[in-house]
Amino acid sequence: MFDLLITEQQDTPLYQRIYDEIREQIHIGRLQGGMRLPSVRSLAVQLNSSKTPIETAYQMLLAEGYVLSVPRSGLYIADYDRLFPTEPSRPFNSSPTPGRPEEPLHLPAPPTAVDFNPTSLDPALFPFRTWSKLLKQSLEHFAGDMGKYGDPQGEWELRTAVAQYLWSSRGVNCLPEQIVIGSGMAYSIGILIKLLPGLKRVAMEEPGYNLVRDQFVLNGYGIDPIEVRKNGIEVSDLWTSSAQAVYVTPSHQFPTGGILPYPDRERLLDWAAERGAYVVEDDYAGEFRYSGKPIPSLQSLDRRDRVIYIGTFSKAVTPALRLNYMVLPPALLETLRSMPYEILFAPSRIEQWAMYLFIEQGHWHRHIRKMRNTYRRKHRHLLALIALHLGDLVEVTGEHAGLHLQLAVKTRQSAQSLVKLAAGAGVAVYDFHKMWMGEKPIAEKFPNVFLGFAGIGLQEMETGIRLLRKAWFEGFSDDATP
């Protein structure tokens, strides 16, 4: 099973784009015989469309023999070799060449009745039984490799599975050779620092992810803070900076939640190409979008190999599993191959094998669908509670994707005061003051706080929102804006 990324083309019907995309990917070998197509219903949800154009495209593929229908199971890609016997072998079958909301944010965690922690996930969603079974299977399946050290860049099987998944879900165009499996964002940034020795200054979103900023600062890099506005980083400000690289979270800006529009993405790539700079794309919450059509990754739009793509399993599975991945452009891959492999320290081979089996056996796609559905329900429930109990007293932003949202509270209290008032009522909310490089500016009309919803129950949400209204507005009416 795979996700399908369809680009926006106003002059072409959706059914034709779906048909053309699947047929093209069969021809070039990315979709191979035996792979199952997404169900009509799940693809309709993903593309935010009706079922009719998807059913039409699938019928066209069936009629031409590109896919086969298996009763009570679904549609599958027909055998590639039978359809295209003269095609050359495909890269995803090649043998290996020889040889956001990631890291904890150190947020305060006082004893509270309700904790809207933006970094928490729903523990009930972790597939305990499946993961336990796959750990056992990995030990049995790879028993012959237990006495060997693995590839420091990551297990080949997992890198192949990740490459296929990234293409189908985020449009990332890469080969397994370009992927480095790591143990978290700090590890990946540490590798990049070694691959870019001549780089002296890095542009960062302001506010932005402090762990990444701190990694660069600790290694002697200068930081150019670039203002974040409603839709993400202000790309025009990059032209006046002296940065040779920029770190961005374009699909859900951390922490404000803005989504970088397509024109700004193109301008960002133009800046990188003209300056000979690199864009570090952190797609930490790429799997979770709740409105509008899926937005392709920056890397999928890059035609000049200037994007370094980083993703994680932490948000979709569990932060307890220290696995992430980084996709290097070809030039940096060559630099990596010229360096001693001692700079790489891949995570546990056993966990890598288990994750490979998790993806290969179809558990990953089922798990992602389950996570999306659950978090979509929680997301809608939280928005409804805010509208019901806080109404015009607050403004919500950053709610279209990710696992947290930003709340502008219409009061003369500061964000820090709001956090303390909430804590006094037994509720934890966050102002993410560490995400600003300097002092948090007072540019906004109202103070902002942040609420996560993934790790909290529906009843807890209601209790928390009721308590917030009481703490922030009841008894402080002189400070609230009507």
Side-chain angles (χ1 to χ4, degrees):
M1 186 79 76
F2 53 88
D3 291 329
L4 193 64
L5 190 68
I6 302 297
T7 56
E8 194 69 46
Q9 293 178 336
Q10 299 295 338
D11 57 342
T12 305
L14 180 57
Y15 77 87
Q16 186 68 46
R17 281 180 276 148
I18 296 172
Y19 165 79
D20 289 343
E21 180 68 17
I22 294 176
R23 187 182 65 171
E24 172 65 17
Q25 300 309 323
I26 292 174
H27 273 283
I28 66 176
R30 289 188 184 273
L31 298 185
Q32 302 174 23
M35 293 182 67
R36 185 185 174 200
L37 288 174
S39 70
V40 172
R41 180 180 178 183
S42 65
L43 189 54
V45 171
Q46 181 194 347
L47 299 179
N48 195 24
S49 75
S50 68
K51 296 180 181 179
T52 302
I54 300 166
E55 292 171 342
T56 301
Y58 280 7
Q59 287 298 323
M60 292 168 64
L61 293 165
L62 268 170
E64 296 185 16
Y66 285 97
V67 300
L68 302 173
S69 177
V70 178
R72 295 185 297 278
S73 181
L75 295 178
Y76 291 79
I77 304 297
D79 181 67
Y80 180 92
D81 293 326
R82 179 178 65 80
L83 286 172
F84 311 108
T86 61
E87 289 287 334
S89 60
R90 301 176 297 284
F92 282 96
N93 283 338
S94 60
S95 299
T97 54
R100 113 323 232 263
E102 291 279 306
E103 297 286 343
L105 292 172
H106 306 294
L107 299 174
T112 55
V114 180
D115 190 354
F116 287 100
N117 192 327
T119 68
S120 296
L121 302 182
D122 190 336
L125 293 179
F126 181 75
F128 289 96
R129 188 170 299 177
T130 299
W131 190 253
S132 177
K133 180 182 70 175
L134 293 178
L135 284 173
K136 181 180 179 182
Q137 286 184 11
S138 67
L139 292 174
E140 295 172 349
H141 186 78
F142 295 97
D145 294 319
M146 289 297 291
K148 307 172 186 175
Y149 290 98
D151 189 328
Q153 195 173 324
E155 296 302 301
W156 177 259
E157 295 86 354
L158 178 57
R159 286 190 279 147
T160 301
V162 168
Q164 180 67 57
Y165 167 69
L166 290 180
W167 165 78
S168 65
S169 65
R170 304 294 296 130
V172 173
N173 186 22
C174 70
L175 295 175
E177 290 93 331
Q178 294 173 251
I179 295 176
V180 178
I181 302 296
S183 55
M185 177 58 77
Y187 174 85
S188 295
I189 296 299
I191 297 299
L192 282 183
I193 287 170
K194 295 180 177 67
L195 295 179
L196 301 169
L199 190 147
K200 299 299 181 184
R201 298 196 68 81
V202 178
M204 293 284 301
E205 298 167 325
E206 176 73 355
Y209 192 13
N210 66 310
L211 181 144
V212 172
R213 184 177 64 237
D214 292 347
Q215 287 295 312
F216 283 117
V217 170
L218 288 171
N219 283 275
Y221 289 78
I223 303 296
D224 289 347
I226 306 296
E227 182 182 0
V228 167
R229 297 183 183 171
K230 180 179 179 182
N231 293 320
I233 191 170
E234 184 57 38
V235 178
S236 60
D237 290 351
L238 279 171
W239 294 97
T240 60
S241 80
S242 57
Q244 300 154 291
V246 59
Y247 166 87
V248 291
T249 51
S251 295
H252 188 251
Q253 199 281 325
F254 187 80
T256 66
I259 298 174
L260 197 65
Y262 178 83
D264 283 343
R265 293 173 185 241
E266 290 289 355
R267 283 192 283 270
L268 181 56
L269 293 173
D270 289 342
W271 170 83
E274 184 168 325
R275 289 289 183 88
Y278 282 104
V279 178
V280 182
E281 177 183 13
D282 183 354
D283 202 23
Y284 73 99
E287 285 86 6
F288 304 109
R289 181 169 174 81
Y290 309 111
S291 62
K293 295 185 182 298
I295 296 179
S297 64
L298 264 178
Q299 201 270 5
S300 70
L301 303 174
D302 180 24
R303 299 293 178 267
R304 291 162 287 192
D305 295 327
R306 307 313 302 176
V307 175
I308 301 160
Y309 181 91
I310 302 179
T312 180
F313 293 111
S314 295
K315 295 299 181 187
V317 184
T318 169
L321 184 66
R322 306 301 300 141
L323 281 179
N324 79 323
Y325 43 85
M326 176 168 60
V327 179
L328 296 175
L332 293 186
L333 177 61
E334 290 304 312
T335 302
L336 178 67
R337 287 176 171 170
S338 68
M339 300 181 74
Y341 253 31
E342 286 77 8
I343 71 170
L344 298 175
F345 300 93
S348 160
R349 297 189 78 189
I350 296 173
E351 291 185 345
Q352 290 188 67
W353 292 331
M355 179 54 71
Y356 157 68
L357 294 175
F358 191 67
I359 298 173
E360 179 68 16
Q361 295 179 12
H363 302 296
W364 169 261
H365 287 88
R366 288 190 289 273
H367 178 70
I368 287 294
R369 285 196 298 273
K370 182 178 179 181
M371 298 276 279
R372 283 173 180 159
N373 291 335
T374 299
Y375 292 151
R376 184 179 288 112
R377 286 194 298 271
K378 290 189 174 189
H379 172 263
R380 291 174 178 171
H381 189 68
L382 180 56
L383 290 177
L385 289 171
I386 291 172
L388 177 63
H389 297 292
L390 296 176
D392 293 336
L393 298 171
V394 300
E395 291 179 1
V396 178
T397 55
E399 75 276 21
H400 300 297
L403 301 177
H404 74 272
L405 50 83
Q406 179 176 252
L407 208 63
V409 185
K410 298 180 181 180
T411 176
R412 297 188 184 94
Q413 300 286 329
S414 66
Q416 187 176 13
S417 295
L418 292 174
V419 171
K420 290 180 178 178
L421 288 170
V427 182
V429 297
Y430 302 86
D431 68 351
F432 281 146
H433 62 278
K434 290 185 178 180
M435 303 305 143
W436 273 261
M437 185 173 176
E439 288 296 320
K440 187 175 178 180
I442 315 294
E444 299 90 356
K445 184 177 180 181
F446 300 112
N448 291 308
V449 295
F450 300 87
L451 281 68
F453 53 85
I456 190 170
L458 301 184
Q459 185 57 54
E460 286 180 282
M461 279 186 195
E462 182 164 8
T463 300
I465 296 300
R466 286 178 179 272
L467 289 172
L468 288 179
R469 179 184 175 93
K470 183 177 181 180
W472 288 344
F473 299 106
E474 296 177 14
F476 290 91
S477 57
D478 291 339
D479 294 325
T481 299

